[in-house]
Amino acid sequence: MSDLTTVELLWLEKRIENRIRFGKPASEKILDHHRRILSFVPGSIFAFVRWTSNDFGTTLSRIDILRAITPGQRYSTVPWVSPGGESLLRLAGWRKVERVLQLIEAVESLGIDPTDAASEYWHHVHNRLSVNETPRPYTRARHQAWLRRCRILF
């Protein structure tokens, strides 16, 4: 049994798209033209975006920002993710998903990899967007405080 968290990505044109928006996979296995499996080491953070449609339009838009678990750690189950992950953010509906994608881009525009951003920030974004409020922006000062705290705690 592996300590890795695996995510199955699937792409069927105009029907299903499961993709990783950010994250640093440890390995990738190509199953066929439409499917791949990415593996993440314990503690790594990644964003998993799912989108599904039918003949009448979009039926599902969801984003999960997860931390890959260590064996024995509690986790949330997420379709396509095995065994699951620690949920930092979980939102559904295109407006909320689109807003999270914009916030990820804002973090990247600061020159910060979203995997290195404070995990508490993703909790904050989840909490604010789930009640239709505006999240505070991630700043370089907040990131520097997070890095200092990591040096002390870890």
Side-chain angles (χ1 to χ4, degrees), residues 2 7 26 29 34 46-47 108-109 111 124 152:
S2 174
V7 181
K29 180 179 180 182
H34 301 286
F46 59 93
E108 291 172 330
S109 73
H124 165 74
I152 293 169

Side-chain angles (χ1 to χ4, degrees), residues 131-148:
V131 294
N132 297 317
E133 293 290 331
T134 303
R136 291 185 302 272
Y138 197 71
T139 63
R140 282 193 171 90
R142 180 175 288 193
H143 188 64
Q144 291 304 315
W146 165 248
L147 293 176
R148 284 192 291 275

Side-chain angles (χ1 to χ4, degrees), residues 4-153:
L4 299 176
T5 296
T6 61
V7 181
E8 185 174 342
L9 305 181
L10 174 64
W11 180 77
L12 298 173
E13 187 174 2
K14 298 182 182 179
R15 291 291 183 183
I16 298 173
E17 183 177 355
N18 294 348
R19 65 184 175 95
I20 296 296
R21 172 54 182 85
F22 68 78
K24 299 172 186 171
S27 66
E28 176 181 12
K29 180 179 180 182
I30 298 172
L31 301 176
D32 57 39
H33 181 70
H34 301 286
R35 297 180 306 143
R36 298 181 297 146
I37 295 178
L38 299 181
S39 299
F40 295 88
V41 298
S44 61
I45 294 175
F46 59 93
F48 180 44
V49 180
R50 292 182 285 146
W51 172 85
T52 305
S53 73
N54 61 23
D55 293 336
F56 303 103
T58 300
T59 59
L60 172 84
S61 293
R62 179 177 295 277
I63 186 165
D64 292 274
I65 298 180
L66 302 164
R67 184 187 336 258
I69 60 159
T70 57
Q73 180 182 357
R74 289 181 294 171
Y75 59 87
S76 299
T77 58
V78 176
W80 308 94
V81 178
S82 179
E86 178 187 348
S87 182
L88 304 179
L89 176 145
R90 184 175 198 155
L91 292 168
W94 176 242
R95 284 189 181 146
K96 291 177 182 179
V97 171
E98 182 179 38
R99 186 67 183 119
V100 173
L101 295 173
Q102 292 167 350
L103 291 167
I104 291 168
E105 289 174 7
V107 170
E108 291 172 330
S109 73
L110 296 172
I112 299 168
D113 187 325
T115 61
D116 298 328
S119 55
E120 289 85 0
Y121 178 68
W122 302 121
H123 283 292
H124 165 74
V125 169
H126 167 87
N127 292 336
R128 298 295 290 206
L129 291 179
S130 65
V131 294
N132 297 317
E133 293 290 331
T134 303
R136 291 185 302 272
Y138 197 71
T139 63
R140 282 193 171 90
R142 180 175 288 193
H143 188 64
Q144 291 304 315
W146 165 248
L147 293 176
R148 284 192 291 275
R149 198 167 108 218
C150 286
R151 283 193 294 269
I152 293 169
L153 297 176

